Amino acid sequence: MHNDMNINVHHITRVEGHGNIVVNVTNGRIEKLQWQVPEAPRFFEAMVRGQSYEDIQTIVSRICGICSITHSLAATKAVESALGLKVSEQADKLRILMHYSEQLQSHTLHIGYLAAPDFFGAPSVVPLVSRAIDVVKTIVRAHRVANEWSDLLAGRTTHPVTLIPGGLTRTPAEKQLRQLQKTLKDTIPDLKVIADVVLSVAGNIPKFERQTEYVSLKQTNPPTYTFYHGGITSDDNGGKVVPIEKWHNVANEYIVEQSTAKWAKWHRDSYAVGALARFNNNSELLSPMGKEAAKMFDLKKGCCNPFMNTVAQLVECFHIVETSITMIDELLTKGLKAEKVTSSPKAGKGAGCVEAPRGILFHEYEFDKKGNCIAADICIPTNQNHANIQKDFEKLVPEIINESEDSVRLKLEMLVRSYDPCISCSTHMLNVEFVK
């Protein structure tokens, strides 16, 4: 064991936002071990107050440049819940396809550009360009497909313009969906190349485990590996489903001194959300290619190695593409038709929820009779993971404390990156200290 160790990672790289890692060991005793979030609060809940229900999603999509579609969908679902609006089956499927485009966009970004350098022992993706140019091109190609997919259905790559309360502003042409379907079929070989490459370096994924509560959406009618519909579940509650409206009872948000983002806990001191949580709660419902990809990596339900979250994201890429090909078939078989959407203001309160690429996301709004927002509450996946990252630190460091300081630092950085955190998105708190 090291007698002394001082690790101070100020703003960990290859994550969205600012987070610090602090480890102080003196005379063999761990004196300080913290995952810190120093980001400034975002104030989005305050920004939307007084705004029309029609403008909510446009504003909150700016919370994130990576998950803008996800935030827009959660917000729109919350608005529709508050106003009692229903969405057609066609619009519902097109929205799910839109959501899938962002999942593929974000997952390929994280796997290829942010996590892969760790597996190859590189400081960033840039040195990998000269070492494996064809693989890097494959990742870029898959990412570009996801971007163009978002362009088609959301109106642009980020910050969608086609979503409105009650439906969508436009319907894609059959020809466009057929082309998208062909492109997705052509992407499957690229995903297999990426999976083979990740498998070739899978031995560099740390073999760390900590029993953890995993929280995600669960859809039972029909049973679906869901990113969009269903209620909240946990592997700690026997698969029971909690209504979205009860999300406050799940997140139980609280504040700590070391973080400007709130933390969360449910049945234990912390819980995890994200691809591994979705996998652990719904893996039996994966598409055939998703199951095959999981088998490649021996990823099984009940896995509690947080470093495997990246592998779970890769598994989901196969599921997303394969499921989308089927959904496009269903839309084309029924025939696409233009839909006129109308809505009117109404007093009410509603919650909306979808799975962001990095975990379950909650939006909640209340409106007056003119349809102006009078209250808002947003709970981001990464803020639900902060406490779990801290608990992982507390188990991991004593296990690796005999390793070099550089090795300990790298594994802690890898651990944080495995959660694919969006730290700046997670800072939705304001601690006001009154001077008396």
Side-chain angles (χ1 to χ4, degrees):
M1 177 179 288
H2 289 280
N3 283 330
D4 297 293
M5 181 183 292
N6 287 296
I7 295 174
N8 189 354
V9 180
H10 188 67
H11 297 177
I12 180 175
T13 57
R14 284 187 273 131
V15 298
E16 166 57 37
H18 294 156
N20 303 333
I21 298 170
V22 177
V23 182
N24 291 335
V25 177
T26 303
N27 296 325
R29 179 172 171 269
I30 298 174
E31 293 191 324
K32 189 172 186 178
L33 174 56
Q34 285 189 341
W35 165 237
Q36 301 175 340
V37 175
E39 279 270 4
R42 306 295 301 280
F43 305 119
F44 271 90
E45 287 96 334
M47 288 182 206
V48 297
R49 288 186 188 175
Q51 303 298 323
S52 167
Y53 73 94
E54 295 175 300
D55 297 327
I56 298 295
Q57 80 84 13
T58 303
I59 298 169
V60 300
S61 80
R62 269 67 183 178
I63 290 174
C64 186
I66 300 173
C67 302
S68 61
I69 292 175
T70 298
H71 278 287
S72 294
L73 288 167
T76 304
K77 288 178 75 174
V79 170
E80 289 164 347
S81 173
L83 273 59
L85 295 171
K86 300 294 182 186
V87 178
S88 73
E89 181 183 350
Q90 175 181 286
D92 192 65
K93 284 190 173 178
L94 288 171
R95 284 182 178 186
I96 293 172
L97 280 175
M98 184 193 304
H99 196 205
Y100 279 159
S101 74
E102 187 170 80
Q103 300 287 340
L104 184 64
Q105 213 183 66
S106 181
H107 281 0
T108 52
L109 185 155
H110 181 248
I111 296 165
Y113 307 147
L114 305 181
D118 286 331
F119 304 149
F120 284 93
S124 73
V125 73
V126 176
L128 299 181
V129 175
S130 57
R131 288 168 57 183
I133 184 64
D134 289 339
V135 175
V136 173
K137 282 183 176 178
T138 302
I139 292 167
V140 170
R141 194 160 51 239
H143 195 211
R144 184 186 299 133
V145 165
N147 287 346
E148 292 172 353
W149 183 2
S150 296
D151 293 344
L152 172 63
L153 297 179
R156 52 189 183 184
T157 306
T158 59
H159 309 309
V161 294
T162 59
L163 273 172
I164 55 171
L168 297 164
T169 58
R170 75 180 189 203
T171 304
E174 285 191 12
K175 182 180 177 182
Q176 291 174 307
L177 278 190
R178 289 190 195 282
Q179 180 57 49
L180 171 61
Q181 189 182 49
K182 180 181 181 306
T183 303
L184 294 179
K185 288 178 180 175
D186 292 342
T187 301
I188 291 173
D190 282 346
L191 292 181
K192 290 180 178 175
V193 168
I194 295 169
D196 285 340
V197 171
V198 175
L199 185 62
S200 71
V201 289
N204 295 331
I205 298 174
K207 301 185 186 323
F208 166 73
E209 292 186 339
R210 185 177 71 84
Q211 292 300 317
T212 304
E213 179 176 14
Y214 290 97
V215 176
S216 72
L217 277 177
K218 183 180 181 73
Q219 182 179 343
T220 57
N221 186 24
T224 305
Y225 190 99
T226 183
F227 294 81
Y228 192 73
H229 288 303
I232 312 162
T233 196
S234 152
D235 57 341
D236 272 13
N237 72 350
K240 294 177 184 173
V241 176
V242 176
I244 300 303
E245 293 72 21
K246 303 285 187 186
W247 71 267
H248 289 280
N249 297 336
V250 171
N252 297 298
E253 294 175 292
Y254 62 101
I255 60 173
V256 294
E257 288 188 357
Q258 70 203 63
S259 171
T260 54
K262 288 180 278 190
W263 288 17
K265 61 180 179 180
W266 193 4
H267 297 98
R268 308 188 196 189
D269 290 339
S270 67
Y271 64 80
V273 301
L276 189 57
R278 291 189 289 267
F279 178 88
N280 277 331
N281 288 326
N282 299 296
S283 61
E284 67 276 10
L285 299 169
L286 280 166
S287 72
M289 282 197 292
K291 287 179 178 173
E292 193 60 33
K295 192 175 176 182
M296 277 180 68
F297 290 89
D298 198 28
L299 178 62
K300 296 176 181 172
K301 191 167 189 165
C303 172
C304 56
N305 179 351
F307 293 96
M308 291 297 282
N309 188 58
T310 305
V311 171
Q313 289 179 329
L314 181 56
V315 168
E316 286 188 337
C317 288
F318 284 95
H319 173 84
I320 288 162
V321 170
E322 188 172 22
T323 304
S324 297
I325 291 169
T326 302
M327 286 185 66
I328 292 172
D329 266 340
E330 293 168 357
L331 282 163
L332 293 176
T333 299
K334 283 206 168 188
L336 292 164
K337 58 181 183 294
E339 293 181 330
K340 186 177 180 181
V341 178
T342 59
S343 63
S344 55
K346 177 183 172 185
K349 182 178 180 180
C353 174
V354 296
E355 285 279 344
R358 46 203 54 76
I360 196 165
L361 166 70
F362 305 105
H363 280 233
E364 185 176 272
Y365 302 98
E366 185 172 1
F367 300 97
D368 63 19
K369 63 182 180 182
K370 293 181 180 178
N372 292 323
C373 181
I374 56 177
D377 199 356
I378 302 171
C379 183
I380 311 296
T382 296
N383 90 292
Q384 297 170 71
N385 276 332
H386 286 313
N388 216 59
I389 293 172
Q390 174 69 34
K391 292 298 176 186
D392 281 350
F393 275 17
E394 291 170 8
K395 183 168 190 293
L396 177 61
V397 170
E399 292 180 7
I400 60 174
I401 201 164
N402 288 324
E403 299 180 13
S404 70
E405 190 168 309
D406 286 344
S407 175
V408 173
R409 179 190 297 109
L410 174 62
K411 285 184 177 172
L412 291 177
E413 291 183 4
M414 286 177 67
L415 176 65
V416 174
R417 281 193 282 269
S418 74
Y419 279 85
D420 189 12
C422 195
I423 300 167
S424 53
C425 292
S426 71
T427 51
H428 286 253
M429 65 162 283
L430 177 62
N431 185 21
V432 180
E433 295 184 3
F434 293 97
V435 177
K436 297 181 179 178

